[in-house]
Amino acid sequence: MQKYYSFLFLLSSFIVFGQRPQKPNAVEIYHQIEKLNFLGSVLYVAAHPDDENTRLISYLSNEKNARTGYLSLTRGDGGQNLIGPELRELLGVIRTQELIEARKIDCGEQLFSRANDFGYSKTPDETLQIWDKEQVLSDVIWAIRKFQPDVIINRFDHRSPGTTHGHHTASAMLSLEAFDKTNDKSIFPNQLQYVSTWQPKRIFFNTSWWFYGSKEKFEKADKTNLSKLQIGVYYEQFGKSNQEIAALSRSCHQSQGFGNTGTRGEEDEYLEFLKGDNLNDKTNLFEGIDTTWNRVKGGNTIGTILENVQKNFDFKNPEASIAELVKAYDLIQKLEDNHWKTIKSEEIKKIIAACAGLYLEAVADVQEVALGSKTKVKQEVINRSSVKMNWISSIDNSKKIELPFNKVVNNNIEVEMENNDPYTNPYYLNEKGTEGMYVVNDQRNIGKPDVISRISETFLIEINGVTIPFEKNIVYKYNDDVKGEVYQPLDIVPVATSSIQEKVYIFPNNKEKAVVVKIKAGKENISGSVKLEVPQNWIVSPSSIPFTLTKKGEEQLAVFNVTPSKEASDVTLKSIITIDGQNYDKEKIDINYPHIYKQMVLKPAEANAIKLNIKTKGEKIAYIMGAGDEVPKSLMQMGYEVSIIKPEDITNEKLQNFDVVMTGIRAYNVVTALGFKQNILFDFVKNGKTMIVQYNTLDDLVTKEIAPFPLKISRDRVTEENAEVRFLNPNHPILNTPNKITSEDFKGWKQEQGLYYPSEWDANFTPIISSNDKGEKAKDGAILVAKYGKGNYIYTGISFFRELPEGVPGAFRLLANMIAIGK
């Protein structure tokens, strides 16, 4: 029997369009049967989304048919965002979904821990201090006990602290420690009410030339302890290599700019043996492990049936396999081994449905439904095979509906959202976490990748006297004139939500400011009041504002006048809606990008208000957006007149109306047109104006001449946000005019001070400040100023894109001085 693979659907589903249901063809069904007959698992372990080796995951899952999981300890919250303004937990939501889409392509499974990606860390010691080491170790052991991998593969080396991201090394250290402890009943015994202990057979480190420093060094290295896997497989049925499949998976990480071009031909992956049972055959990771159905008690008969199904599979008539598959399913339900019983039950149900062309769907008539409301749901069932089937009522099992060949059977039901149902939200965001950890109180939920949906329908389908439950999430779908059929989740929302229009309000004096609150109805015909809660030494009027909204989704604005305290302070404003004595204090944020499933996030409806001793000079600023940030909003809050200008608007004529040009983060990485606009921008400076360039990465600069004088960007950064800052030129205007900058201005910073500082620069540049992480040399490239003609050019790696939206007072004062230079 020729071997076939299930990539056609996976490749075609690379563009998501809201989770269309899977409709596998015969080739894909056959590959699912191959995987059904393999009982072996591999767990790949690393720290972040995009750390995973998609070539190896695809190879193990699709060539070897192993159940292959990727345990990412974090959700990537601390990274940058190339596609939009979302940072921190919102970026983590995006990167979570990108991982889920990647696994759909390379056929792996996704797992997480509760660790929060708090930002770049230079050592595992720092990482494990900010993470709760015991909690993360518990999560790794939980993942191993739950997934039961035969083989663990670490992405990073546990023996090389300080040579890479501290999270990387920590992930390998925790994985290795877990390998020794996961079979010990005295370790995290509370887990054992849900899972049993487990001992993986062996653990490896996925090494490569990169860890040796160069390809030349790796070629000369002793590889006696290394296993070499030839992962350059060519899947001739689809004209695709394993590397091309992996590249499509890798390209799901769009927020990080990891679009990848697949390669072809021979390629090797190397695994260094660390612990466990060593290999005699270094190409067989499952040596000594029975990966057949004989592995489980009572599995022999099942294996015989399914081997025959695989051997006799008819690509032109998949339904011919249904009778034997149903027989095997029934036997699987009698297995004592609950682990493989659960896994293989789900696998075989999908295969049975696919062989029968069995289409099951529950579609709501709305995308959002409020607690206490009802929604109509249309159930659709169609049996596109000649096999006799019945649809059994889940309420009364004596009621059966016959499913004749290719006849659509519909049923309309009404589903009510109980008042105690949870809102739709990433479950790990429901509780307030710490800098290093998310809070998940239910052990059973730890590590689950996606939103936990409780809105589902179970279809009971009887085939050959065997009742098989198929659970389907209730979804919403509509037709888009461009995309066609679009699927979205059915979300449970509050009766009303609100959002404060700006996330940071700057009060430079004692004058009141208008604060706008937007109210949105989650259901029809609601009325109540909204108030803005402020600290006692601040004043807000009116005390509350009544509202009435008749239509679901309708919005109304409420304007409050807020007067700050007389003294400098940094406070939180809270919006609270009251309806029928019930308070609602959530803001609803929709994250909707075409490459991931639509996400709804509920956060406290809050904003920062800062009474700040700051002076500005009213400059007009032209802002050139880069990868996406919220800096322009903060500039407007400071009182500047800000215009977002497109690359085509960078002309001498248009720029003459501005005092300052400022580029957004990574602008010289992502805005190709900037490579052709430098002469215009430099002339702008030469004629007496100011240009401020925010950080760029080393890779893929659109021009080498990002400054009027030589400047070399490096990977230097200061990750300790409270690192001591030293003033190299204390009399420089940036530290004195119009605001006197002191060490106090560098307190309370978030996540980091800055990144990608220049390491070399022309003598025309003046460095302004210096700082460094503990044990490192001073980094002087955070702010570099050069006089060019009559104007000033400033390059800065300071993380204004993080600090301003977080409301860090010193960042506002420092940026005001940079803008005012030369005035």
Side-chain angles (χ1 to χ4, degrees):
M1 175 67 67
Q2 192 175 11
K3 197 168 186 180
Y4 292 84
Y5 299 86
S6 65
F7 298 135
L8 188 60
F9 165 75
L10 293 169
L11 300 182
S12 66
S13 67
F14 182 56
I15 298 176
V16 180
F17 290 164
Q19 302 296 301
R20 291 171 177 163
Q22 295 186 11
K23 303 171 186 176
N25 58 38
V27 174
E28 296 160 4
I29 295 170
Y30 179 77
H31 184 49
Q32 291 175 10
I33 294 171
E34 287 183 306
K35 293 180 73 67
L36 183 64
N37 280 325
F38 190 93
L39 280 71
S41 302
V42 180
L43 184 63
Y44 198 88
V45 182
H48 310 104
D50 73 47
D51 281 347
E52 80 274 28
N53 183 341
T54 55
R55 296 183 305 276
L56 191 53
I57 290 175
S58 176
Y59 170 80
L60 292 169
S61 182
N62 296 301
E63 176 63 13
K64 296 301 181 183
N65 295 320
R67 182 175 179 239
T68 308
Y70 173 44
L71 172 58
S72 175
L73 295 193
T74 76
R75 296 175 184 265
D77 323 74
Q80 288 87 48
N81 186 357
L82 199 65
I83 61 174
E86 296 89 355
L87 292 174
R88 294 303 308 145
E89 66 271 21
L90 296 182
L91 177 58
V93 170
I94 292 173
R95 297 186 74 182
T96 293
Q97 292 302 311
E98 289 177 338
L99 271 178
I100 291 171
E101 295 305 320
R103 296 295 79 78
K104 290 176 184 176
I105 291 173
D106 58 35
C107 295
E109 298 181 34
Q110 189 58 52
L111 300 85
F112 290 99
S113 83
R114 288 170 292 175
N116 192 332
D117 179 7
F118 56 83
Y120 193 88
S121 175
K122 293 182 178 178
T123 68
D125 288 344
E126 180 195 39
T127 296
L128 296 174
Q129 286 174 1
I130 297 176
W131 289 350
D132 184 318
K133 183 197 169 184
E134 280 301 293
Q135 284 191 25
V136 183
L137 177 63
S138 168
D139 291 356
V140 177
I141 289 176
W142 168 254
I144 293 171
R145 288 172 172 174
K146 193 174 180 182
F147 195 80
Q148 294 190 10
D150 300 302
V151 177
I152 295 176
I153 301 174
N154 289 343
R155 184 66 180 112
F156 298 104
D157 188 358
H158 64 285
R159 300 157 297 196
S160 54
T163 61
T164 182
H165 198 318
H167 296 182
H168 293 169
T169 311
S171 72
M173 293 168 65
L174 290 168
S175 176
L176 202 66
E177 184 175 350
F179 183 86
D180 291 333
K181 293 181 175 180
T182 187
N183 202 30
D184 187 338
K185 291 183 178 180
S186 68
I187 303 296
F188 306 119
N190 61 302
Q191 297 179 1
L192 300 181
Q193 59 183 310
Y194 306 114
V195 294
S196 59
T197 58
W198 180 254
Q199 183 56 59
K201 195 76 168 178
R202 49 187 66 98
I203 185 170
F204 297 93
F205 159 46
N206 182 197
T207 190
S208 70
W209 67 264
W210 189 86
F211 292 96
Y212 285 74
S214 70
K215 292 181 179 179
E216 292 75 17
K217 291 181 180 179
F218 186 59
E219 288 175 2
K220 297 176 182 178
D222 179 12
K223 300 183 179 63
T224 304
N225 195 36
L226 302 186
S227 294
K228 183 170 75 171
L229 304 180
Q230 297 176 350
I231 56 90
V233 178
Y234 174 60
Y235 305 108
E236 62 275 1
Q237 292 82 3
F238 301 103
K240 300 257 182 219
S241 68
N242 184 66
Q243 300 98 310
E244 287 171 319
I245 303 302
L248 290 173
S249 173
R250 183 75 171 166
S251 296
C252 289
H253 297 295
Q254 292 186 20
S255 68
Q256 304 307 295
F258 280 129
N260 196 266
T261 300
T263 60
R264 291 146 294 280
E266 293 183 354
E267 186 171 350
D268 299 324
E269 284 288 342
Y270 291 89
L271 303 179
E272 179 186 351
F273 174 78
L274 297 178
K275 279 186 178 181
D277 294 352
N278 211 335
L279 296 174
N280 294 314
D281 178 3
K282 293 189 181 298
T283 65
N284 181 14
L285 301 187
F286 294 94
E287 183 180 81
I289 302 168
D290 188 349
T291 57
T292 71
W293 276 97
N294 293 329
R295 178 171 191 162
V296 296
K297 181 181 178 182
N300 181 269
T301 303
I302 299 170
T304 300
I305 294 172
L306 293 178
E307 284 173 12
N308 287 328
V309 169
Q310 182 175 334
K311 180 180 178 181
N312 299 317
F313 184 75
D314 187 345
F315 287 87
K316 293 184 178 180
N317 186 29
E319 73 173 65
S321 298
I322 292 176
E324 293 298 287
L325 286 167
V326 170
K327 188 185 298 183
Y329 169 82
D330 196 36
L331 291 172
I332 290 172
Q333 305 318 298
K334 298 177 175 64
L335 290 176
E336 295 177 12
D337 187 320
N338 194 57
H339 174 73
W340 285 111
K341 173 184 173 181
T342 302
I343 294 168
K344 294 304 178 181
S345 291
E346 290 306 309
E347 289 181 6
I348 199 169
K349 283 197 295 185
K350 291 177 181 177
I351 295 170
I352 292 169
C355 286
L358 180 61
Y359 190 82
L360 307 168
E361 190 172 73
V363 179
D365 63 349
V366 292
Q367 197 268 310
E368 295 179 352
V369 59
L371 291 183
S373 299
K374 297 178 180 179
T375 182
K376 294 179 181 178
V377 175
K378 179 182 178 181
Q379 298 173 318
E380 179 181 332
V381 179
I382 181 168
N383 169 24
R384 291 173 285 190
S385 75
S386 60
V387 176
K388 291 184 178 180
M389 297 184 191
N390 293 311
W391 177 12
I392 301 175
S393 169
S394 58
I395 299 174
D396 182 356
N397 290 353
S398 65
K399 292 183 178 181
K400 299 181 181 180
I401 301 174
E402 186 179 348
L403 299 174
F405 170 69
N406 210 29
K407 298 288 186 181
V408 177
V409 179
N410 290 324
N411 184 43
N412 295 318
I413 61 174
E414 197 171 59
V415 177
E416 183 174 1
M417 303 301 124
E418 302 291 340
N419 286 324
N420 59 352
D421 282 339
Y423 298 130
T424 300
N425 202 40
Y427 69 94
Y428 53 91
L429 296 179
N430 286 335
E431 303 289 336
K432 185 175 178 59
T434 65
E435 180 185 5
M437 297 297 297
Y438 285 120
V439 173
V440 181
N441 294 317
D442 190 335
Q443 176 70 51
R444 293 167 294 181
N445 291 337
I446 291 173
K448 290 184 177 180
D450 208 351
V451 172
I452 299 172
S453 176
R454 292 179 174 84
I455 323 173
S456 63
E457 283 294 311
T458 299
F459 294 85
L460 300 176
I461 306 299
E462 182 186 58
I463 308 174
N464 294 348
V466 177
T467 301
I468 304 175
F470 294 90
E471 186 173 303
K472 296 289 182 180
N473 286 339
I474 299 177
V475 297
Y476 171 74
K477 70 177 181 179
Y478 66 95
N479 183 73
D480 182 274
D481 290 343
V482 176
K483 300 174 183 177
E485 189 177 53
V486 175
Y487 281 77
Q488 292 182 338
L490 173 62
D491 291 330
I492 301 179
V493 300
V495 169
T497 55
S498 65
S499 60
I500 303 175
Q501 197 167 59
E502 302 294 337
K503 294 309 170 193
V504 178
Y505 287 87
I506 301 297
F507 292 81
N509 49 48
N510 295 326
K511 293 182 180 179
E512 69 176 27
K513 266 194 174 186
V515 174
V516 180
V517 174
K518 181 170 67 176
I519 308 154
K520 185 174 182 177
K523 61 184 294 186
E524 295 179 348
N525 298 318
I526 62 171
S527 61
S529 63
V530 60
K531 66 179 180 179
L532 193 64
E533 192 174 87
V534 301
Q536 288 184 351
N537 54 348
W538 288 57
I539 300 172
V540 60
S541 66
S543 57
S544 67
I545 297 175
F547 69 87
T548 297
L549 298 171
T550 58
K551 295 181 180 179
K552 178 181 176 180
E554 186 180 352
E555 296 176 349
Q556 182 176 320
L557 300 181
V559 181
F560 296 90
N561 294 313
V562 175
T563 304
S565 61
K566 293 182 180 180
E567 65 279 358
S569 59
D570 181 356
V571 302
T572 299
L573 308 179
K574 297 182 180 180
S575 170
I576 300 175
I577 294 172
T578 302
I579 300 173
D580 296 331
Q582 179 72 42
N583 289 338
Y584 300 91
D585 61 355
K586 298 297 183 184
E587 173 184 7
K588 186 172 81 71
I589 300 168
D590 289 326
I591 299 176
N592 202 358
Y593 289 98
H595 69 299
I596 59 175
Y597 205 12
K598 178 181 177 292
Q599 298 294 294
M600 184 185 90
V601 180
L602 294 174
K603 294 180 62 179
E606 297 177 349
N608 284 347
I610 307 171
K611 172 61 187 306
L612 183 61
N613 295 321
I614 186 173
K615 298 176 183 177
T616 60
K617 296 198 172 182
E619 289 86 353
K620 293 182 178 180
I621 301 173
Y623 200 92
I624 304 169
M625 293 299 296
D629 59 62
E630 302 259 342
V631 172
K633 290 184 178 180
S634 297
L635 293 172
M636 293 176 191
Q637 274 294 316
M638 294 167 72
Y640 297 112
E641 186 179 327
V642 182
S643 298
I644 307 293
I645 63 170
K646 298 178 180 179
E648 57 267 27
D649 294 329
I650 302 175
T651 64
N652 290 320
E653 181 181 4
K654 292 193 175 181
L655 290 185
Q656 68 181 359
N657 298 317
F658 297 97
D659 303 296
V660 178
V661 165
M662 191 170 183
T663 62
I665 61 173
R666 293 192 184 185
Y668 284 95
N669 297 124
V670 300
V671 184
T672 305
L674 280 178
F676 309 101
K677 298 289 186 176
Q678 288 301 83
N679 288 337
I680 296 173
L681 293 170
F682 292 160
D683 285 344
F684 175 82
V685 178
K686 187 183 292 185
N687 291 331
K689 304 296 182 70
T690 299
M691 181 176 181
I692 301 173
V693 176
Q694 296 184 82
Y695 95 92
N696 295 274
T697 65
L698 291 74
D699 305 318
D700 302 321
L701 288 168
V702 298
T703 176
K704 294 181 179 179
E705 298 178 355
I706 62 174
F709 304 108
L711 183 82
K712 184 178 180 181
I713 300 173
S714 73
R715 298 188 185 277
D716 288 352
R717 62 176 74 206
V718 178
T719 64
E720 296 171 14
E721 57 268 34
N722 294 319
E724 178 192 3
V725 175
R726 300 171 293 275
F727 297 158
L728 299 175
N729 286 273
N731 296 322
H732 196 280
I734 282 182
L735 297 176
N736 293 277
T737 306
N739 304 288
K740 180 68 175 177
I741 303 299
T742 71
S743 59
E744 291 296 311
D745 289 297
F746 291 93
K747 292 183 177 179
W749 285 51
K750 307 295 183 182
Q751 185 166 320
E752 62 197 4
Q753 284 186 4
L755 66 170
Y756 292 101
Y757 292 170
S759 58
E760 298 177 20
W761 50 85
D762 187 85
N764 283 287
F765 283 104
T766 299
I768 304 300
I769 63 174
S770 176
S771 63
N772 54 271
D773 291 327
K774 293 175 184 177
E776 294 194 353
K777 294 181 179 179
K779 306 290 190 297
D780 298 344
I783 304 173
L784 299 174
V785 185
K787 193 73 178 177
Y788 183 66
K790 298 178 182 178
N792 293 277
Y793 174 95
I794 302 173
Y795 188 93
T796 180
I798 294 291
S799 296
F800 289 112
F801 74 102
R802 292 197 192 281
E803 310 311 322
L804 300 183
E806 291 283 355
V808 176
F812 284 93
R813 287 163 47 82
L814 180 61
L815 184 56
N817 284 13
M818 292 166 63
I819 292 169
I821 191 171
K823 292 287 184 177

